[in-house]
């Protein structure tokens, strides 16, 4: 093989610089039109698919002593609810106690 190595990369500064693309609305519309003409269509989903978002989006990560964690876990399992439900109920009781103290 007498010529230059075809697998080598030229590291000259002029060849590795990126050039900004023309993102004007006219250019984008023109490229979209050409893409549609050749059968390319936008494939991004129009609406969010999958499960609906839960109304319980705020997560509270309470760090408690191991004994308290076991008690909360056992109570939640015995009642058949999530631990977050117990925390919500405890907070409601706390707020009611605060309101009655005032």
């Amino acid at each position: 093989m007498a010529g230059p190595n075809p697998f080598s990369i030229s590291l000259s500064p002029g060849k590795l610089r990126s050039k900004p693309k023309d993102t004007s609305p006219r250019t984008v519309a023109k490229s979209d039109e050409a893409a549609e003409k050749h059968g390319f269509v936008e494939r991004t989903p129009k609406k969010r698919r999958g499960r609906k978002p839960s109304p319980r989006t705020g997560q509270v990560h309470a760090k408690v002593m191991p004994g308290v964690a076991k008690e909360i876990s056992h109570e939640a399992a015995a009642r058949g609810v999530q631990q977050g439900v117990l925390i919500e109920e405890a907070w409601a009781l706390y707020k009611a106690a605060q309101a009655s103290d005032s």
Side-chain angles (χ1 to χ4, degrees):
M1 187 162 164
N5 185 355
F7 298 107
S8 68
I9 298 174
S10 175
L11 296 178
S12 63
K15 294 186 179 184
L16 293 178
R17 294 201 177 135
S18 63
K19 297 176 186 172
K21 292 182 180 180
D22 183 11
T23 57
S24 65
R26 181 174 174 218
T27 306
V28 171
K30 193 174 172 183
S31 65
D32 287 345
E33 182 182 326
E36 282 184 32
K37 197 180 291 183
H38 290 288
F40 292 98
V41 292
E42 187 177 355
R43 290 193 267 181
T44 57
K46 299 298 179 201
K47 63 176 189 169
R48 184 176 169 164
R49 297 172 36 178
R51 285 178 28 180
K52 301 292 180 204
S54 169
R56 296 173 189 246
T57 55
Q59 292 186 358
V60 178
H61 299 283
K63 289 190 176 187
V64 296
M65 297 302 285
V68 176
K70 280 186 180 180
E71 290 175 6
I72 291 172
S73 176
H74 289 307
E75 179 65 20
R79 292 178 46 191
V81 297
Q82 298 290 324
Q83 293 177 12
V85 173
L86 289 181
I87 294 172
E88 289 173 356
E89 291 174 359
W91 185 252
L93 289 172
Y94 171 77
K95 294 287 278 189
Q98 291 295 317
S100 66
D101 288 346
S102 298

